[in-house]
DNA sequence: TATTGTTATACTCTATAACTATA
DNA sequence: TATAGTTATAGAGTATAACAATA
C-alpha cells in the first residue's frame, strides 16, 4: 500500500483514485457498485468521479436499463495512465516478488486467485 | 482494501489511521519512518498523529538517542482498538480465506512472509 | 414508496513551503 | 550545513443529511 500511495502521488493520484482506475480497467460499474467495491459512500463517489472526469480519465453515461443509474467507464487517457501506473507498481514490487522463484510466484498467484475469485483491485 | 475501509469507518478510522495502528502494533517508529512506511510526507504524519493522539490512541516521546526525533507508540486504548479491528477484519475475510483448505492457507502465509520479509501492515 | 445519484456542509487527509530545534 | 519535526495554507477525500428523478 505504501508503494501504491507513493507511485500514485507521482501521477497526482490518491490511493483511492488509483483503486478506481484499477477497477475500471476491466469493468464498467455503476456508481453504487464502485462505492461498494471501495467501501465508500455513494456521495463520496460523486466527488471522486467528478474530479477524475474533469481530468479526462473517465466518463459517465446514463444506463439504458435503468434511468436512475449511471455507468462509469475509462477514457483512452485513463486506460493509458492505468497501464503506466500498473507497470511502475510491478517494478516497485520487484524486490519483493524477486525473493520467490518462478514456481513459488505461480503458486502464490494461483492461491490469491482462488481466494479472491480471480477479482483484482 | 474495501473491507479495511469499511471496518475502519465503523470505528471512525480512515484507511490511513487503520494502517498506522497496524504498524504500531509491533513497532515504535519515528515520525519519518512512519511516513516512509505509509508513503506519505512527514507533514502529513504530524496531522495524522495529532488527531490519533487527541483521541488517546497513541502518544509521542522525544527520542533519547536523537533530540530531534520523535518516537510514536500506542496507548492501551490504541492497542485494544487495534486488536478489535484486527479480529473484525479476519472475520470479514473469512469468506475469502475459507475458499482455501488449511494446507493452502499455510502455503499462502509462508509465501507472503518470504516475499515481504515477515513485515505486516 | 423505494432506489440511484447529486448537492451542501463540515471535518479529515494530503502536499508544498517556510520555519524551529538539534546534530 | 543537514536532518527531524511542526505549522500554515490550499485542495482532495469522506460522511451525513436533504434533495431530485426514476422505478
Amino acid at each position: 500500500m505504501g508503494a501504491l500511495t507513493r507511485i500514485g502521488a507521482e501521477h497526482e493520484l490518491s490511493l483511492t483514485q488509483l483503486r478506481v482506475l484499477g477497477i475500471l480497467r476491466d469493468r464498467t460499474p455503476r456508481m453504487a457498485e464502485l462505492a461498494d467495491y471501495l467501501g465508500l459512500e455513494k456521495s463520496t463517489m460523486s466527488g471522486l468521479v467528478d474530479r477524475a472526469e474533469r481530468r479526462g480519465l473517465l466518463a459517465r453515461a446514463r444506463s439504458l436499463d435503468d434511468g436512475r443509474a449511471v455507468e462509469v467507464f475509462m477514457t483512452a487517457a485513463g486506460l493509458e495512465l492505468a497501464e503506466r501506473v500498473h507497470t511502475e507498481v510491478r517494478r516497485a514490487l520487484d524486490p519483493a516478488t524477486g525473493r520467490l522463484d518462478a514456481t513459488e510466484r505461480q503458486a502464490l498467484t494461483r492461491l490469491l486467485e482462488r481466494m479472491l475469485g480471480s477479482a483484482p483491485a
Side-chain angles (χ1 to χ4, degrees), chain A residues 29-46:
Chain A
R30 299 176 173 189
M31 294 294 288
E33 289 175 296
L34 211 35
D36 201 56
Y37 279 130
L38 296 169
L40 299 171
E41 293 298 318
K42 55 187 181 162
S43 63
T44 301
M45 280 315 312
S46 293

Side-chain angles (χ1 to χ4, degrees), chain A residues 9 18 33 40 46 55 58 60-61 69 79 95 106 113 116 118:
Chain A
L18 209 70
E33 289 175 296
L40 299 171
S46 293
R55 281 177 64 175
L58 45 81
R60 284 183 240 232
L79 279 169
Q106 209 170 351
E113 278 175 352
L116 302 170
S118 50

Side-chain angles (χ1 to χ4, degrees), chain A residues 7-115:
Chain A
I7 292 170
E10 290 168 11
H11 296 277
E12 316 209 55
L13 289 170
S14 69
L15 182 56
T16 306
Q17 292 282 12
L18 209 70
R19 292 171 67 204
V20 171
L21 295 193
I23 291 169
L24 293 180
R25 275 177 84 207
D26 63 354
R27 270 164 290 185
T28 304
R30 299 176 173 189
M31 294 294 288
E33 289 175 296
L34 211 35
D36 201 56
Y37 279 130
L38 296 169
L40 299 171
E41 293 298 318
K42 55 187 181 162
S43 63
T44 301
M45 280 315 312
S46 293
L48 286 166
V49 170
D50 280 351
R51 287 183 290 272
E53 191 172 26
R54 215 176 301 139
R55 281 177 64 175
L57 300 177
L58 45 81
R60 284 183 240 232
R62 197 107 237 157
S63 168
L64 299 177
D65 303 338
D66 184 335
R68 299 168 299 180
V70 170
E71 286 166 10
V72 186
F73 57 94
M74 207 100 84
T75 62
L79 279 169
E80 196 190 328
L81 179 54
E83 292 310 316
R84 201 153 57 235
V85 168
H86 187 246
T87 302
E88 289 180 29
V89 170
R90 283 187 97 99
R91 191 169 304 140
L93 296 181
D94 269 354
T97 54
R99 294 187 192 179
L100 305 183
D101 64 33
T103 307
E104 290 172 320
R105 272 200 297 276
Q106 209 170 351
L108 177 60
T109 302
R110 182 183 147 280
L111 287 168
L112 290 174
E113 278 175 352
R114 257 172 62 75
M115 201 175 74

